[in-house]
Amino acid sequence: MTAPAPRTPTTAPGPVRHPGRTGLAATVAVLVVLLLASLTAGLAIGSVRVPPGQVWGIVTHALGAGWGAPDWTRARETIVLDVRAPRVVLGAVTGAGLAVVGTALQALVRNPLAEPYLLGVSSGASLGAVSVIVFGISVFGAASLPVSAFAGALGALVLVYATARTGGRITSVRLVLSGVAIAAVLTAVLNLLLLTSDRGNEARAVLAWTLGGLGGVDWGTLALPSAALLVGVGVLMTQARNLNLLLAGEEAATTMGLDVARFRARMFVLLSLVTGVLVAAAGPIGFVGLMLPHVVRLLVGGDHRRVLPTAALGGAVFLVWADIAARTIAAPMEIPVGVLTALCGGPFFLWLLRRDARRHREGGAA
């Protein structure tokens, strides 16, 4: 009787194909053009429509590079520069950051379902941020909110990873169930804090914030998220080779000289920092870090030197358009952008589960 062939692991996101530099350059160029078009649309579309030509005129004039006399009103300039521009930039920064974090998480835990929202990282960051608001904590001054969000994100990520890892292995089902369970507990604690808070007006505002949104932002809000994105992408790009090694498995990575435990610990801290800062600024916005890495790998392959920058651009484009839809679909009412990303990401998540289950069945039958 012939012994069955060994099953091939199917839970880790692996390389799809490896296009040449021309393919990568073309993809990045297209995404850059799409991002510029998306930013222009985000500044132009709203209750007051501003022609794209005027949008560029207002922006270039504000940067000191304008040409000709302004042909727009002061009201339109205020709408574009002070109301919409900070919101659109935050959307691009948040989308890019969440996509990059999701890409790195999927490599670190070798699981295609890993994502900050699904793993409870966003819930931990939300609980940390809300605790600062409810209890009035100001130990770190103006940085108390992002610091607390970072601590909550890191604690949640470590707890989920420790819970899901049994016998040296993490399965897709165990990881997702651990993330969902811990996220549910953290969300319950968060809701309890809001319900028992004696700051009624703040509690209602925070409850709306927990759905994820980009409204009410100003230019002062953008410095920390932008810095977190730049640091996160910069560090991850230097670690792209190690992320590639993990796709081959822990034993293979160790053979190639990578201290897997120490590397994971450092990356968990970095990803928690980026997630905590983004959640503190925009609220928990889910599924961006799940969908974009998979879409990007279909375009540029599995090499993280290609995936990380492409995912950042794709995430920025996606969330800018999600925000445009959030504030126009039911105008004048605004839908939380986190609701729309969940409506897109939920079906995508179910499709991934079915695909993973099908691969397991095919592997068992091989």
Side-chain angles (χ1 to χ4, degrees):
M1 183 175 180
T2 305
R7 292 175 57 181
T8 302
T10 59
T11 57
V16 178
R17 57 188 177 89
H18 298 280
R21 291 185 178 180
T22 303
L24 175 64
T27 301
V28 170
V30 169
L31 286 174
V32 169
V33 172
L34 283 176
L35 180 57
L36 290 175
S38 302
L39 295 174
T40 303
L43 296 176
I45 297 174
S47 57
V48 177
R49 297 296 178 105
V50 181
Q54 281 192 358
V55 167
W56 279 98
I58 292 171
V59 172
T60 55
H61 191 269
L63 295 175
W67 57 88
D71 61 347
W72 54 83
T73 64
R74 177 63 180 171
R76 286 193 172 185
E77 182 176 343
T78 301
I79 290 172
V80 170
L81 295 180
D82 298 331
V83 178
R84 293 180 185 169
R87 177 176 187 144
V88 170
V89 173
L90 179 61
V93 169
T94 302
L98 292 176
V100 167
V101 169
T103 300
L105 273 179
Q106 290 172 14
L108 286 172
V109 300
R110 301 190 66 242
N111 195 301
L113 302 178
E115 195 263 348
Y117 190 80
L118 289 175
L119 296 189
V121 182
S122 294
S123 298
S126 299
L127 179 58
V130 169
S131 299
V132 168
I133 298 172
V134 171
F135 296 114
I137 301 173
S138 57
V139 176
F140 298 98
S144 295
L145 190 68
V147 167
S148 184
F150 158 66
L154 180 59
L157 181 56
V158 171
L159 185 58
V160 170
Y161 184 78
T163 304
R165 187 178 178 88
T166 303
R169 295 181 64 253
I170 299 178
T171 65
S172 297
V173 174
R174 189 183 298 131
L175 184 71
V176 171
L177 289 178
S178 298
V180 169
I182 290 173
V185 173
L186 296 175
T187 302
V189 175
L190 185 152
N191 290 332
L192 179 62
L193 289 178
L194 294 178
L195 287 174
T196 57
S197 172
D198 56 358
R199 304 182 181 186
N201 294 331
E202 288 185 5
R204 283 190 291 271
V206 171
L207 187 60
W209 170 83
T210 58
L211 297 175
L214 305 174
V217 62
D218 56 32
W219 287 109
T221 311
L222 298 176
L224 200 54
S226 300
L229 173 64
L230 292 175
V231 171
V233 173
V235 173
L236 288 173
M237 285 298 296
T238 66
Q239 301 299 319
R241 176 181 176 274
N242 291 334
L243 292 173
N244 290 339
L245 290 178
L246 279 179
L247 294 181
E250 292 187 21
E251 292 183 1
T254 302
T255 302
M256 296 295 292
L258 177 64
D259 187 337
V260 175
R262 181 175 297 179
F263 175 68
R264 275 206 179 109
R266 293 199 306 264
M267 290 299 100
F268 281 169
V269 172
L270 174 67
L271 298 181
S272 299
L273 174 62
V274 175
T275 303
V277 171
L278 295 178
V279 168
I285 298 175
F287 296 101
V288 177
L290 175 70
M291 295 184 289
L292 269 299
H294 289 279
V295 174
V296 164
R297 288 189 188 100
L298 293 175
L299 297 175
V300 300
D303 188 341
H304 284 85
R305 291 170 296 183
R306 298 182 174 96
V307 174
L308 288 168
T310 312
L313 290 171
V317 171
F318 173 78
L319 199 57
V320 168
W321 279 105
D323 182 56
I324 293 173
R327 52 190 167 94
T328 57
I329 288 178
M333 183 183 73
E334 181 177 318
I335 301 173
V337 69
V339 172
L340 291 185
T341 60
L343 290 175
C344 296
F348 190 87
F349 173 66
L350 294 175
W351 173 76
L352 283 178
L353 280 179
R354 289 179 61 86
R355 187 192 69 171
D356 192 61
R358 184 170 61 251
R359 286 182 174 180
H360 275 295
R361 288 196 301 268
E362 291 173 354

